[in-house]
Amino acid sequence: EGENSPARLWLVIQPGNGGPVEDWVNCEKMALSSPDTTMVVINGALDKVRGGFYPAVFFPKLAATVDRFWKKFEPAFYLKPFSDKGVYGWLYRVYPEPWQVHLEIVKPGKDGNAEVEYMLVGTMDEKPSYDKVVSMLLSVSQANK
């Protein structure tokens, strides 16, 4: 298409993460200005935005975008480490597959270097809460001791 054609894709890298929180607000403005343009957000720290990390009293414009815009995003790839109460693991998902919780097991290797194994603890259709992931990791970790 021509030089002045509207964008068909917006690729947004790390909005607001290390920069101004207005980046997230501006993403919504971009989407509203051109609703037919696909927006892909990479490393957007959406858990922080959607989870209330930024208090509405201090960030009212950002808070206003959460329910009407950011909660509509579907993670295409998600990988988050967990380290709590002496267990280590990962929450993983590749869309449209289910969410997976993996326990990380570190054992001494034969050559003196650590060997890391990953055990699938469970899968679920809905994203589990932080506490749920830790609980799953703890129960399997204790059962394997």
Side-chain angles (χ1 to χ4, degrees), residues 19 40 42 44 54 58 63 67 70-71 106 116 130-131 133 136 141:
V40 176
I42 298 175
Y54 298 95
F58 298 119
D67 285 331
W70 288 112
K71 286 197 175 176
V106 180
V116 180
Y130 181 91
D131 290 339
V133 172
M136 292 172 72
S141 175

Side-chain angles (χ1 to χ4, degrees), residues 116-137:
V116 180
E117 296 176 6
Y118 297 95
M119 177 190 296
L120 179 62
V121 172
T123 61
M124 57 228 57
D125 292 329
E126 298 293 320
K127 181 182 175 195
S129 69
Y130 181 91
D131 290 339
K132 175 70 175 170
V133 172
V134 172
S135 173
M136 292 172 72
L137 294 171

Side-chain angles (χ1 to χ4, degrees), residues 33-50:
S33 72
S34 184
D36 294 332
T37 303
T38 300
M39 181 178 289
V40 176
V41 178
I42 298 175
N43 292 341
L46 296 183
D47 283 352
K48 283 183 171 181
V49 175
R50 295 192 267 201

Side-chain angles (χ1 to χ4, degrees), residues 12-27:
V12 183
I13 311 294
Q14 277 188 287
N17 197 9
V21 296
E22 288 80 10
D23 288 353
W24 283 303
V25 175
N26 290 335
C27 286

Side-chain angles (χ1 to χ4, degrees), residues 24-88:
W24 283 303
V25 175
N26 290 335
C27 286
E28 182 189 36
K29 290 178 183 178
M30 290 167 54
L32 290 172
S33 72
S34 184
D36 294 332
T37 303
T38 300
M39 181 178 289
V40 176
V41 178
I42 298 175
N43 292 341
L46 296 183
D47 283 352
K48 283 183 171 181
V49 175
R50 295 192 267 201
F53 180 82
Y54 298 95
V57 68
F58 298 119
F59 303 96
K61 288 181 182 178
L62 177 59
T65 68
V66 172
D67 285 331
R68 71 176 179 235
F69 183 68
W70 288 112
K71 286 197 175 176
K72 295 177 184 176
F73 273 71
E74 182 71 40
F77 180 81
Y78 190 94
L79 183 63
K80 180 179 177 95
F82 281 77
S83 174
D84 198 339
K85 299 181 181 167
V87 294
Y88 302 92

